[in-house]
Amino acid sequence: MLHGGNFWCISDSVNIGSTNLCDMHLLAADELIRKHRTQAIIGPQTSAESEFVAYLGNHTHTPILSLSPISASSMPFFLHTAPDESFQVAAIAAILDMFTWRTATVLYEDSPYGAHILPALFFALQGYNLHLMDSIALPVGMTGDYLNQILYNIKETPTRVFIVHMLPDLAARVFYQATVAGMMSDGYIWIATSSIGTVVDSLSPDKIDHMQGVVTLRPYVEATAHVMNFTARFNARFRLENPGINDVHNPSTQLLWAYDTAWALAKAVHIARVSSSTPGRTLLGAMLNTTFDGMAGRFMLVNGHLQLSSYEIINIVDKGARTVGFWTPESRIIKNLKTSGAKGLKQILWPGHLATTPKGWDVSSNRSPLRIIVPEKQGFNQLVEVSYSRAANSFTVRGYCIDIFDMLMKNLPYPVAYHYVPVIDSSSSYDSLLSLVREKKADGMVGDTTITMSRMNKVSFTMPFTDTGLSMVVVMKKETDVGMWIFLQPLTTTLWIASLGFFCFTGFVVWVIEHRINPEFYGTPSQQFGTVFYFAFSTLVFSQKEKLQSNLSRFMVIIWVFVVLILTSSYTANLTSVLTVQRLQPTVNSVQDLLRSGDYVGYQKGSTVAYWLEGMGFRQEILLGYNTVEEYADALQRGSGNGGVSAIFDEIPYLKVFLSKYREGYTMVGPTYKLGGFGFAFPIGSPMVNDVSQAIFFPEVQEEMERIEKKWFGDPGASQSKSRNIDSSSLGFNSFGGLFLISGTVSGLVLLIHLLSFIYHDGGKLWATSLHKWLDFIAVAKDWRLPIFNGQYICSSRNGVDVNQHHGATTEAADMRDSHF
């Protein structure tokens, strides 16, 4: 009793004859609240009691401080002063992801406590793209035979990662039977929840012996001086009250939470100044606002739940457990809380005293080999082919897909035993074969299986091992009409414009240098303009007749003639190629052409291409299905008007097969529409999906895949180069950019040198003469006050001077200026 109030703790240590303990606790809680007017209850400790007590406390406005490992109720008067078990699922998912274990099996207690963690665990694993292969409920009162059968069944599965969530007594039974079944040996991984980690220090040695290598969690409690002092006093009092017990264990984490809960209630009572008449809501508010550093860490309730900051990851070895790391929401998995930069865990000894991290699943030779089904296919045998040998009375599978799968299996970090099971049934669709994988009647499917969203709901696919996309193949036709402007095609428009500009610029620079000293550049402006352009363009055929007198212009023209020589030679060679090489053009250039014309188009029967074509706007009645590459070629040659098609749409691997056989006369055109590509199918949750997908991206695997592709498809790109449009071979400005840069730089430097030389030699004399004339003009203007109006002098006289004389002088100066320039 504190400050006149009544506060009780319901504990499992009460022994009430043979009456059901849980029912007695519930009756005691009801009696305490209704008869004794108890204002708060610490307890219950089990989930079975939580629902009723929570309802009772909420109905009577009595705060219930529960130490149950699960949050049984969200009622406002039910406070959870021990961390919820579901908080640890994020740490478990992080451990699985760190070791790249993609699947696991959960063994949980068949009770509200055991099932409570499952939704949160599913959600946490999905965040890391992890999967649960199975979740198995184990009844508390199950027989040994039943448990043995469960363990035998999961031992036959490839998964070797097991998550155990149950109370310690049941967990001890499971680990004992697992040891007998040989499942606590090399290759197995056992991860136990905090139900084991929090009590591992108090477990008996025989139970510890059967948990060797288990990794478990427990809420982290810092070993402060306060905790150490409490532990010493607790152990001393325990020995005093139990003199016959020699083996004394340190206080468990649950005991520390209970201690902190009692202190929190005491602080809340003090804050609220509780009396027998204090409302329960007042005490509830005081509890929610109570925060302090307790034995088990910071005590703080958020939305009625105790907040937990970190978990300690421990490894059970020898006679106890050792800490190998920590998990926090901010830093995830770290080796030390004080140095958060050290990611990962310390060395773990796994079951069988194995220091090497197990791979997490097993397809060993002592198990039945994987059954990999292979579909029989009509046509496109380069991809997958099933043949029957009468002599050997057996089937043989071969092809591009088979070689890729075999190569990937060899590059996995562990051996995989498998055999191919051909499906000889032409009526079976790929979807029906994938259903066999989904139902686990087959362990996988290898072939030209396209990844689609609907199929991903049935099975798990690896990453695509082929080019992904949908494109079309059309017939190439000879281009007979070259056109009247064929002579322009050897050069691109940019190069034509650049060449014209440089011709003009070169002629202008030659004129600037030569027109003052070379009589051949004299004449009227129109004559000089014609001379400049004639000289510049005559360099094309090296027929310029004007003799240059300046060394600067001669040097510049030498460089320019070199550029012209290379330009004309390249133009002549390219024009010859255009006129002599056979030109092929596709009959159809785009999907829009087909949609406008309404021509028939083809696709592969049984594929998903028809669905995509209808989505692109093609009517169903113009879509024709074919099975083989020979049928593709025949339909394209006949054309849409003769019972064939104008284009064949298919996925790129099929088109590669077609072009590897028909290397000339066909081409792949138009955009590539993204599709899923080919993938290998496995049951949902299979670890092989992740391992095979990772192997695809190994550099050495990529090189081997390229070699296999050339083996089966050849090099279709070589034949495709023959059908490129002639425009793609036109010479561009980039091909001659260096030459134009040299010529332009030389011309610019020559022009600059000439201008500097002109200013140095003649510029001073011209400036002095012009200044002298202007001074004379200004003097006359002042003497006669001659205003200038529209370029004419207004005549006036003073002191008998004739204005016209000055006009004549000005005219003379102007003539001198013109003759100088």
Side-chain angles (χ1 to χ4, degrees):
M1 178 178 292
L2 297 172
H3 293 283
N6 293 324
F7 308 95
W8 291 85
C9 174
I10 299 178
S11 172
D12 286 343
S13 62
V14 179
N15 185 8
I16 311 178
S18 60
T19 308
N20 184 281
L21 188 60
C22 177
D23 291 342
M24 294 302 300
H25 284 172
L26 299 180
L27 292 174
D30 183 60
E31 182 178 357
L32 288 172
I33 293 175
R34 298 185 185 276
K35 293 184 179 182
H36 298 279
R37 301 181 65 185
T38 299
Q39 292 172 285
I41 293 178
I42 299 178
Q45 297 185 29
T46 64
S47 57
E49 301 169 343
S50 297
E51 288 293 339
F52 177 78
V53 176
Y55 172 79
L56 186 63
N58 194 66
H59 181 69
T60 60
H61 289 188
T62 302
I64 306 298
L65 282 60
S66 174
L67 296 173
S68 170
I70 68 172
S71 179
S73 176
S74 60
M75 296 180 182
F77 282 85
F78 186 88
L79 303 181
H80 206 71
T81 58
D84 193 299
E85 287 285 303
S86 61
F87 290 172
Q88 63 187 309
V89 297
I92 295 174
I95 293 174
L96 266 63
D97 181 69
M98 187 188 72
F99 290 110
T100 65
W101 298 324
R102 314 317 298 177
T103 60
T105 296
V106 177
L107 303 174
Y108 66 96
E109 182 179 305
D110 190 9
S111 67
Y113 165 77
H116 171 73
I117 200 176
L118 292 182
L121 182 60
F122 279 115
F123 183 78
L125 294 179
Q126 287 179 354
Y128 289 95
N129 194 26
L130 309 176
H131 303 279
L132 287 180
M133 286 289 289
D134 202 355
S135 55
I136 302 173
L138 299 179
V140 176
M142 62 182 172
T143 63
D145 292 339
Y146 179 84
L147 179 57
N148 287 335
Q149 185 62 43
I150 293 294
L151 294 176
Y152 175 79
N153 291 339
I154 63 176
K155 186 178 181 180
E156 289 300 304
T157 65
T159 304
R160 290 294 178 263
V161 182
F162 304 105
I163 301 172
V164 178
H165 178 61
M166 54 192 67
L167 293 176
D169 289 342
L170 181 59
R173 289 187 59 194
V174 171
F175 285 120
Y176 172 77
Q177 293 298 130
T179 303
V180 174
M183 298 176 66
M184 299 298 294
S185 57
D186 295 359
Y188 288 89
I189 301 105
W190 293 87
I191 300 176
T193 59
S194 60
S195 60
I196 302 299
T198 54
V199 299
V200 65
D201 293 331
S202 60
L203 293 176
S204 61
D206 59 324
K207 292 181 179 179
I208 291 292
D209 288 342
H210 299 303
M211 296 183 184
Q212 295 295 302
V214 173
V215 173
T216 183
L217 307 169
R218 64 184 171 196
Y220 174 65
V221 176
E222 185 178 2
T224 62
H226 189 38
V227 172
M228 299 300 292
N229 181 41
F230 173 79
T231 301
R233 290 187 291 113
F234 175 86
N235 291 340
R237 184 170 178 177
F238 184 87
R239 290 190 181 93
L240 181 63
E241 296 179 355
N242 302 275
I245 301 178
N246 297 323
D247 190 10
V248 181
H249 300 286
N250 291 333
S252 66
T253 309
Q254 290 96 327
L255 179 59
L256 298 179
W257 289 329
Y259 186 89
D260 288 345
T261 300
W263 267 104
L265 180 58
K267 288 179 176 291
V269 167
H270 177 73
I271 294 172
R273 299 186 181 276
V274 174
S275 66
S276 59
S277 61
T278 302
R281 193 173 296 276
T282 301
L283 181 57
L284 175 67
M287 276 296 303
L288 292 174
N289 292 324
T290 298
T291 59
F292 65 97
D293 291 328
M295 289 289 182
R298 186 69 177 171
F299 184 93
M300 181 174 62
L301 299 177
V302 178
N303 296 325
H305 291 80
L306 179 67
Q307 296 302 294
L308 189 63
S309 59
S310 59
Y311 274 96
E312 186 178 2
I313 304 173
I314 57 179
N315 181 206
I316 300 177
V317 291
D318 297 331
K319 297 182 179 181
R322 64 186 184 92
T323 301
V324 294
F326 301 87
W327 178 90
T328 65
E330 299 79 16
S331 303
R332 302 297 179 183
I333 296 179
I334 52 178
K335 294 181 180 179
N336 196 312
L337 283 176
K338 296 181 179 179
T339 55
S340 58
K343 302 293 184 180
L345 296 174
K346 299 176 184 177
Q347 179 64 59
I348 296 176
L349 288 179
W350 304 99
H353 294 280
L354 183 68
T356 305
T357 302
K359 58 180 178 290
W361 85 298
D362 182 34
V363 185
S364 57
S365 57
N366 60 347
R367 297 183 66 249
S368 300
L370 296 180
R371 298 159 299 166
I372 306 298
I373 59 176
V374 179
E376 183 187 28
K377 189 173 183 64
Q378 296 181 359
F380 298 96
N381 291 332
Q382 290 94 327
L383 293 172
V384 58
E385 180 182 14
V386 177
S387 59
Y388 176 72
S389 173
R390 293 184 178 274
N393 191 25
S394 62
F395 289 95
T396 302
V397 294
R398 61 191 297 270
Y400 170 75
C401 298
I402 303 300
D403 285 358
I404 292 291
F405 185 79
D406 290 340
M407 182 267 299
L408 290 173
M409 292 298 101
K410 294 177 181 178
N411 281 275
L412 293 179
Y414 46 83
V416 178
Y418 63 95
H419 67 91
Y420 294 113
V421 181
V423 179
I424 313 299
D425 186 358
S426 58
S427 62
S428 297
S429 65
Y430 278 31
D431 288 338
S432 63
L433 297 181
L434 291 173
S435 296
L436 299 177
V437 179
R438 179 186 60 181
E439 298 166 2
K440 298 185 179 180
K441 296 179 180 178
D443 298 309
M445 177 174 171
V446 171
D448 52 335
T449 313
T450 303
I451 303 173
T452 64
M453 289 299 297
S454 60
R455 291 174 176 176
M456 290 176 66
N457 293 328
K458 297 181 179 180
V459 296
S460 292
F461 283 99
T462 64
M463 293 295 292
F465 60 90
T466 62
D467 293 333
T468 60
L470 173 71
S471 191
M472 66 176 178
V473 165
V474 299
V475 176
M476 301 294 292
K477 65 177 180 179
K478 296 180 181 179
E479 186 177 0
T480 57
D481 184 12
V482 296
M484 60 183 296
W485 301 104
I486 188 66
F487 69 92
L488 295 176
Q489 291 189 9
L491 306 182
T492 61
T493 303
T494 303
L495 185 55
W496 278 115
I497 295 174
S499 301
L500 179 62
F502 269 84
F503 272 112
C504 296
F505 179 65
T506 302
F508 170 75
V509 175
V510 170
W511 174 80
V512 169
I513 298 174
E514 296 287 335
H515 84 283
R516 294 180 61 251
I517 61 177
N518 193 338
E520 296 191 22
F521 287 87
Y522 289 172
T524 63
S526 60
Q527 290 176 333
Q528 294 185 46
F529 184 81
T531 301
V532 168
F533 275 88
Y534 173 76
F535 176 84
F537 285 92
S538 63
T539 57
L540 281 171
V541 291
F542 314 106
S543 63
Q544 62 274 15
K545 64 182 182 63
E546 293 80 8
K547 294 183 179 180
L548 304 180
Q549 297 186 6
S550 172
N551 288 332
L552 289 175
S553 57
R554 290 170 180 169
F555 174 71
M556 184 197 69
V557 170
I558 289 174
I559 300 299
W560 173 245
V561 168
F562 176 72
V563 174
V564 171
L565 175 63
I566 296 178
L567 189 64
T568 54
S569 301
S570 302
Y571 172 84
T572 302
N574 210 20
L575 180 61
T576 302
S577 175
V578 169
L579 295 175
T580 56
V581 175
Q582 177 177 295
R583 291 157 49 87
L584 298 175
Q585 297 292 342
T587 54
V588 178
N589 290 309
S590 66
V591 174
Q592 288 70 26
D593 293 343
L594 292 171
L595 292 174
R596 282 193 295 267
S597 64
D599 288 353
Y600 287 96
V601 297
Y603 67 96
Q604 185 181 167
K605 286 183 179 179
S607 68
T608 60
V609 174
Y611 167 79
W612 291 101
L613 292 178
E614 292 180 17
M616 292 162 58
F618 289 98
R619 302 189 310 275
Q620 187 175 7
E621 56 268 20
I622 66 172
L623 302 179
L624 303 179
Y626 302 98
N627 288 318
T628 65
V629 292
E630 293 77 14
E631 292 179 2
Y632 277 11
D634 179 66
L636 287 171
Q637 287 299 324
R638 285 187 283 122
S640 180
N642 298 313
V645 294
S646 296
I648 293 288
F649 283 88
D650 212 336
E651 296 180 71
I652 290 179
Y654 296 111
L655 298 183
K656 284 184 176 181
V657 172
F658 175 80
L659 293 174
S660 67
K661 183 173 183 178
Y662 299 93
R663 294 180 176 272
E664 297 184 2
Y666 303 92
T667 187
M668 195 185 307
V669 297
T672 298
Y673 300 92
K674 289 297 182 182
L675 293 183
F678 294 168
F680 301 121
F682 294 96
I684 293 178
S686 171
M688 286 198 67
V689 174
N690 181 71
D691 295 339
V692 174
S693 297
Q694 287 184 347
I696 290 176
F697 292 103
F698 293 159
E700 59 273 18
V701 171
Q702 292 282 329
E703 296 177 1
E704 186 66 14
M705 290 175 66
E706 185 177 353
R707 186 194 65 79
I708 295 175
E709 182 175 341
K710 289 182 178 180
K711 168 188 173 182
W712 290 100
F713 302 149
D715 188 9
S719 61
Q720 292 296 297
S721 62
K722 300 179 181 179
S723 60
R724 292 176 183 170
N725 194 299
I726 195 67
D727 289 342
S728 63
S729 62
S730 299
L731 299 174
F733 179 79
N734 291 336
S735 303
F736 301 92
L739 290 175
F740 283 123
L741 178 62
I742 295 173
S743 177
T745 302
V746 171
S747 299
L749 289 175
V750 166
L751 181 60
L752 179 62
I753 293 172
H754 171 73
L755 292 177
L756 293 176
S757 176
F758 171 75
I759 293 173
Y760 178 77
H761 291 293
D762 300 329
K765 184 188 299 183
L766 177 61
W767 174 253
T769 302
S770 300
L771 180 62
H772 177 71
K773 295 299 182 182
W774 274 105
L775 290 175
D776 288 345
F777 174 75
I778 293 172
V780 172
K782 287 182 178 180
D783 188 36
W784 289 91
R785 298 180 179 177
L786 298 177
I788 300 176
F789 183 78
N790 291 334
Q792 300 294 329
Y793 289 96
I794 301 176
C795 298
S796 64
S797 64
R798 189 178 65 157
N799 300 330
V801 179
D802 189 355
V803 177
N804 289 330
Q805 295 177 357
H806 296 281
H807 179 66
T810 305
T811 304
E812 179 183 356
D815 291 341
M816 292 179 63
R817 178 193 64 205
D818 293 340
S819 64
H820 183 81
F821 282 98

